[in-house]
Amino acid sequence: QVQLVESGGGLVQAGDSLILSCAASGRTFSSYAMGWFRQAPGKEREFVAAITGNGITTSYADTVKGRFIISRDNAKNTMYLQMNSLLPEDTAIYYCAAGTLVFRLQIGVGEYWGQGTQVTVSS
């Protein structure tokens, strides 16, 4: 069992940066691929980024590529999402998830999910 807790959300202006964190419980954090997802009001949840267990390989949605950076610190059981050049359309609840493989996270298949943190970007 893995418990995930997101933090770092808030209200920012367009062009600002924000760092989200996802703290995981358990001793097997490094064995999981991890991902970030988001869900805007009235829209379906969408994939944002994912990273392999060893942190070497990453994957991004086209909408955030070049602006967001996913990373993880296995010693701290924590994953991060550095969000730069934020746009109003980035406004959403951001969720972290743990899964078996990056490509499964890319299609929305995660084994464990956090409760989410709200990110609001004003224009």
Side-chain angles (χ1 to χ4, degrees):
Q1 186 79 9
V2 177
Q3 292 186 328
L4 304 174
V5 179
E6 303 94 337
S7 63
L11 172 63
V12 297
Q13 293 186 333
D16 285 352
S17 296
L18 202 60
I19 300 176
L20 303 183
S21 299
C22 173
S25 64
R27 301 180 179 179
T28 59
F29 178 69
S30 62
S31 67
Y32 288 96
M34 297 292 295
W36 288 100
F37 296 78
R38 66 187 182 185
Q39 187 167 19
K43 296 186 177 181
E44 293 186 354
R45 185 180 64 199
E46 64 175 0
F47 168 78
V48 175
I51 187 168
T52 51
N54 59 13
I56 292 178
T57 302
T58 58
S59 174
Y60 297 92
D62 288 342
T63 52
V64 306
K65 198 173 295 183
R67 298 189 298 122
F68 291 9
I69 301 172
I70 188 172
S71 63
R72 65 190 296 163
D73 185 339
N74 287 342
K76 296 181 178 179
N77 279 15
T78 303
M79 175 182 63
Y80 306 96
L81 186 68
Q82 169 79 46
M83 304 187 294
N84 302 315
S85 302
L86 282 162
L87 304 169
E89 47 264 46
D90 293 320
T91 295
I93 298 175
Y94 283 72
Y95 300 89
C96 65
T100 54
L101 296 168
V102 165
F103 87 86
R104 288 175 62 83
L105 288 170
Q106 288 174 327
I107 60 174
V109 179
E111 293 189 34
Y112 304 100
W113 294 84
Q115 293 301 307
T117 184
Q118 176 71 48
V119 173
T120 303
V121 184
S122 64
S123 58

